[in-house]
Amino acid sequence: MHNIDKYVVGVDLGGTKIAAALFDSSGKMLKRERTETAGAATAREVVMRITGMVQSVAEGRTLSGVGLASPGAVNSRDGIVLHGTNLPEWTNIPLKKWMEAELGAPVQVVNDANAAAWGEYARGAGRGSANMVYVTFSTGIGAGIVLDGELLLGTNSFAGELGHNIIDPGGPVCSCGRNGCWETFASGTAIRNATLVLMQERPSLIAELAAARGEEVSSRTVFEAREQGDAVALEVIERAIHYMALGLANAVHTFNPDRIVIGGGVSKAAGQLFPMLREETEKLVMKPYQGSYEIVPAGLHDDVGLIGAAAMFRFQPASTAANSH
Ligand SMILES: [Zn+2]
């Protein structure tokens, strides 16, 4: 039924850039392009740029599907971007409908964290797992859940917002307006903020390291200072690991995954992160869950959105159980 002449395009829509890539049925990337979104006045114009790029990478081939990863709130069932990106007029955009009319191919729209989760599951560090939790620690915390081989969407396709689970009602104010969400304790931003506070109170190598690089203090400089035994860095990282593990332990109890895949800038900055994170998570989960999951770094890096979006139209032979969506 699925022969080799099937092509899929993945699109990664960002606030400032659009990337599109053509994949063959085995999941191999054949061609890619990138463009800026700057200068587009309306949502329609952005969509015309997207469809233009899809046609450009497809080079006249018939497409069996186009998957698009979008930031913000996405209704995946109807293919509508509800809100939440810095593109012009980007509210309640019927992206699937507009793109299908233009391209004559089926389109699936998915939130970028879910696309990344699906990409890791289908083609990256989640391969071979059945129940996977994907978490990305960067400016905020993004997450996506795969259960029994299916991406978990929920009623409004909003499932998996682990970063906004409240872990301390008395905690710092979050970007969502509430207090004490997981990402106010365990994101790159949280690590940076905690560092800046401690640096006011105590001497630290961190300022020197950042200055030598000509950079602001970031989770990367903090991890570097930790390797050199800096007391502030040691304290900040120990606390960050505890909070990261706390959220992961909650996810283990909620989803009972066999694998947790960790992506994002914080995990890239920290080679020594994983042993500590595993140990701390094991301390925080209940006994029956201990040893039931592994925690591994993401495998796909910058292309994860493109690959995950394209993989919404399952690559063959991705798995013997896969059937077309
Ligand atoms: Zn929040």
Side-chain angles (χ1 to χ4, degrees), residues 121 153 167 170 201 243 248 263 316:
Y121 172 75
L153 289 175
I167 60 168
E201 298 166 10
Y243 281 116
L248 295 183
Q316 304 293 329

Side-chain angles (χ1 to χ4, degrees), residues 163-164 174-178 181 183:
H164 295 285
C174 182
S175 61
C176 69
R178 304 174 311 146
C181 294
E183 71 173 40

Side-chain angles (χ1 to χ4, degrees), residues 195 198-200 202-209 225 230-233:
T195 305
L198 274 192
M199 279 169 65
Q200 305 270 324
R202 274 186 263 155
S204 164
L205 285 173
I206 296 166
E208 273 172 56
L209 285 171
D230 181 73
V232 168

Side-chain angles (χ1 to χ4, degrees), residues 91-113:
T91 305
N92 295 324
I93 304 301
L95 207 50
K96 175 184 166 74
K97 199 170 132 193
W98 286 0
M99 286 178 65
E100 285 182 346
E102 201 66 34
L103 296 167
V107 171
Q108 284 205 37
V109 183
V110 68
N111 159 274
D112 52 8

Side-chain angles (χ1 to χ4, degrees), residues 221-289:
T221 38
V222 181
F223 276 104
E224 256 183 42
R226 184 188 178 278
E227 274 172 28
Q228 297 183 35
D230 181 73
V232 168
L234 281 162
E235 185 175 333
V236 169
I237 299 297
E238 192 181 329
R239 203 160 50 187
I241 295 282
H242 171 71
Y243 281 116
M244 290 164 95
L246 193 66
L248 295 183
N250 288 343
V252 166
H253 294 146
T254 312
F255 302 110
N256 190 18
D258 55 71
R259 200 172 304 168
I260 300 174
V261 176
I262 307 287
V266 175
S267 55
K268 265 190 243 169
Q272 74 271 54
L273 179 83
F274 285 88
M276 292 189 287
L277 197 53
R278 284 186 199 109
E279 195 186 325
E280 187 68 10
T281 308
E282 279 289 271
K283 275 189 212 158
L284 292 168
V285 295
M286 292 192 294
K287 267 229 154 45
Y289 295 87

